[in-house]
Amino acid sequence: MHPFVWNHTDQPRNPNYEKDIVYVTKHVKWILNSIGIWPVMLKTIGECLPKIAIVLSNLVVFFIQGLYVLHIILEQQDNFLRLRLLAFAWYSLISLMKFWALTMRKPNIKYCVEEMYADWKQVELQRDRTLMLKYGKIGRDLTIYSAVFMYSASMSYVAVMQYAVGSHVDENNRTIRVLVYPAYSGLFDVQKTPIYETVYILQCMCTFVLNTVSSGTCGLAALFATHACGQIDVIMSQLNDLVDEKFTFKKNYDPDTRLMEIVQHHMKILKFSAIIETVLQEVCFFEFVGSTFVICLLEYYCITDWQQNNKFSLITYSMLLSSLTFNMFLLCYIGDLLIEKSANVGISCCMINWYRLPIKTSQGLILIIAMSNNPLKISAGRIIYLSLSTFGSVLKTSFAYLNFVRSTVIY
């Protein structure tokens, strides 16, 4: 059986649905499969692999983060260097919480993926398929952009900073190989081979897991939100068909039945969007809080490295700052796109030639307009809605924190 074949009794109306599904989900599926978050759709021997990936990812992050935090608390005495190390500790904690939130929401993620697959199977008109592919491409491209920014910045940080830090000789004439994420040496001697190499490899794995969570969150939001936007465009095209002459002059055309189908489709999208909100509310809240503070610290690191003419560190921190800022921008852009597109359904009801419809049918449009008055939104913990104005608030708050940090450290 093909992996995209579902247990629905309806026969697929879209002969290209398998190819379309692969096109829009391929990249986010690759990302989330690596940490065990993408739902397994078929009961096969591979069911246990996501659980293994989740356990291993948690163990690696716990191990590296534990050594890192112990070093900050017990070994590092310089408060300025502690501040330099704080960004990764905070970022790893926030990413770990996002990972747990995604793990907890796996049943809801599976429901949304199943609904997506069902929509792709049942699309009939080539026009509707084109609209869905248009927004599917947007979600696919946003996922790629997020992954490229996050992985290139983080992996270059692990590689370039490791090279820039290098090694030094201590007062006992012992060569100290410095790790980019300093590790607590009270449990074992990190300088010994192969312990040093093992810890460094685990740090690379930890960085991969943390950035997979960040890019996977953005990819999942882009996949679901753009699918909802594509379905909304399909609804608007169906509303235009209500008064299209090539449909209204058909003998078996019933505008009331057609409007009922449109309302049912709209209600299905509203339910789908409510599940999206449930899936993303915790991870978006952690992203909102974490990005604000980490962006502030990275801005401070860039300023101090600029003043000290530390080129290697300045470049890597600038890349990290750009990747986190861009990732937060993508989430806010996705939320803004969903708000704008869902509000257009009510506008579309007003713009069609509704006066050509029977009176009872035209009155039914009021229900769709009323539902569109409350646009679909993605919230961060049901506290703040993601939009471009929210992105501006994140930047302003991070600059406010930056001024506070600078004044505290200087004085």
Side-chain angles (χ1 to χ4, degrees):
M1 182 180 291
H2 194 278
F4 293 116
V5 175
W6 296 90
N7 294 325
H8 294 290
T9 56
D10 298 335
Q11 291 297 319
R13 300 175 186 175
N14 175 17
N16 301 308
Y17 79 95
E18 294 180 0
K19 182 176 67 175
D20 295 342
I21 289 170
V22 170
Y23 177 77
V24 299
T25 64
K26 178 171 63 176
H27 296 91
V28 68
K29 185 177 179 180
W30 284 349
I31 293 171
L32 294 180
N33 262 334
S34 63
I35 54 174
I37 297 300
W38 188 262
V40 177
M41 302 306 174
L42 295 176
K43 294 184 178 180
T44 62
I45 193 172
E47 265 190 320
C48 63
L49 294 180
K51 298 178 182 178
I52 296 174
I54 291 173
V55 172
L56 289 178
S57 298
N58 276 278
L59 289 177
V60 169
V61 175
F62 266 120
F63 179 73
I64 297 302
Q65 189 180 17
L67 293 178
Y68 190 78
V69 172
L70 287 174
H71 170 79
I72 295 175
I73 297 174
L74 301 178
E75 290 184 332
Q76 186 56 254
Q77 303 300 323
D78 190 330
N79 288 330
F80 178 76
L81 291 178
R82 280 181 173 176
L83 181 62
R84 298 278 294 188
L85 299 174
L86 187 59
F88 176 73
W90 182 254
Y91 174 71
S92 60
L93 175 62
I94 292 297
S95 297
L96 193 59
M97 294 175 73
K98 289 192 293 183
F99 192 14
W100 294 341
L102 288 175
T103 305
M104 181 180 65
R105 296 299 184 185
K106 277 191 71 174
N108 299 107
I109 295 174
K110 183 175 181 180
Y111 170 83
C112 290
V113 173
E114 288 177 344
E115 289 298 308
M116 280 184 53
Y117 285 13
D119 289 339
W120 278 106
K121 285 179 65 174
Q122 299 307 316
V123 62
E124 295 183 80
L125 301 178
Q126 180 60 34
R127 174 200 62 190
D128 295 342
R129 177 173 176 263
T130 302
L131 291 173
M132 293 170 65
L133 283 174
K134 171 188 171 182
Y135 284 95
K137 184 178 185 302
I138 293 175
R140 179 177 180 268
D141 292 344
L142 293 178
T143 302
I144 294 173
Y145 296 153
S146 175
V148 169
F149 267 82
M150 293 302 299
Y151 288 127
S152 60
S154 61
M155 291 307 173
S156 65
Y157 176 77
V158 174
V160 174
M161 285 297 290
Q162 186 70 25
Y163 169 77
V165 172
S167 60
H168 66 273
V169 179
D170 63 5
E171 62 275 5
N172 298 322
N173 199 27
R174 183 188 181 193
T175 301
I176 302 298
R177 296 178 291 180
V178 182
L179 289 165
V180 67
Y181 304 137
Y184 178 62
S185 58
L187 300 177
F188 44 78
D189 188 358
V190 183
Q191 297 301 314
K192 289 184 178 180
T193 300
I195 296 177
Y196 176 86
E197 289 77 8
T198 302
V199 172
Y200 178 68
I201 292 173
L202 290 175
Q203 287 184 352
C204 293
M205 293 174 61
C206 176
T207 304
F208 173 80
V209 171
L210 297 179
N211 288 279
T212 298
V213 172
S214 295
S215 58
T217 298
C218 187
L220 201 64
L223 176 68
F224 291 160
T226 53
H227 179 75
C229 290
Q231 292 297 299
I232 290 171
D233 263 13
V234 171
I235 285 181
M236 290 193 290
S237 67
Q238 292 173 345
L239 286 170
N240 292 328
D241 291 344
L242 278 176
V243 293
D244 196 319
E245 293 183 357
K246 65 181 179 182
F247 292 105
T248 55
F249 287 149
K250 290 183 178 180
K251 292 183 179 179
N252 58 347
Y253 178 76
D254 184 2
D256 291 330
T257 302
R258 189 59 177 160
L259 182 62
M260 179 187 69
E261 294 173 352
I262 294 173
V263 172
Q264 289 176 340
H265 194 178
H266 192 204
M267 293 295 294
K268 181 182 177 183
I269 296 174
L270 295 178
K271 182 181 178 181
F272 178 77
S273 300
I275 302 298
I276 296 176
E277 164 74 7
T278 302
V279 169
L280 298 175
Q281 59 179 337
E282 293 95 356
V283 292
C284 288
F285 174 74
F286 295 138
E287 184 75 33
F288 178 79
V289 174
S291 294
T292 302
F293 189 60
V294 174
I295 287 174
C296 160
L297 291 175
L298 291 176
E299 289 168 344
Y300 175 74
Y301 300 162
C302 289
I303 292 174
T304 54
D305 287 336
W306 177 275
Q307 294 171 344
Q308 297 170 5
N309 197 27
N310 192 341
K311 295 180 180 179
F312 276 112
S313 182
L314 176 61
I315 292 172
T316 52
Y317 281 131
S318 298
M319 292 179 65
L320 288 172
L321 175 61
S322 301
S323 65
L324 286 177
T325 304
F326 185 73
N327 208 55
M328 189 66 208
F329 169 78
L330 286 185
L331 283 175
C332 292
Y333 170 76
I334 291 165
D336 199 78
L337 179 66
L338 189 60
I339 292 172
E340 179 183 0
K341 183 58 65 174
S342 59
N344 287 341
V345 177
I347 298 175
S348 182
C349 290
C350 299
M351 296 300 293
I352 65 174
N353 298 330
W354 51 267
Y355 50 84
R356 295 174 53 188
L357 295 171
I359 295 176
K360 290 185 178 181
T361 305
S362 59
Q363 289 174 345
L365 295 175
I366 298 174
L367 176 62
I368 300 178
I369 296 173
M371 290 189 293
S372 301
N373 286 334
N374 187 21
L376 307 178
K377 298 174 183 177
I378 298 175
S379 72
R382 300 187 184 275
I383 297 174
I384 186 170
Y385 293 110
L386 296 185
S387 64
L388 294 180
S389 61
T390 304
F391 176 70
S393 300
V394 170
L395 294 183
K396 288 189 290 185
T397 306
S398 67
F399 281 119
Y401 289 165
L402 174 62
N403 291 330
F404 173 76
V405 170
R406 292 189 67 191
S407 61
T408 302
V409 172
I410 292 174
Y411 298 106

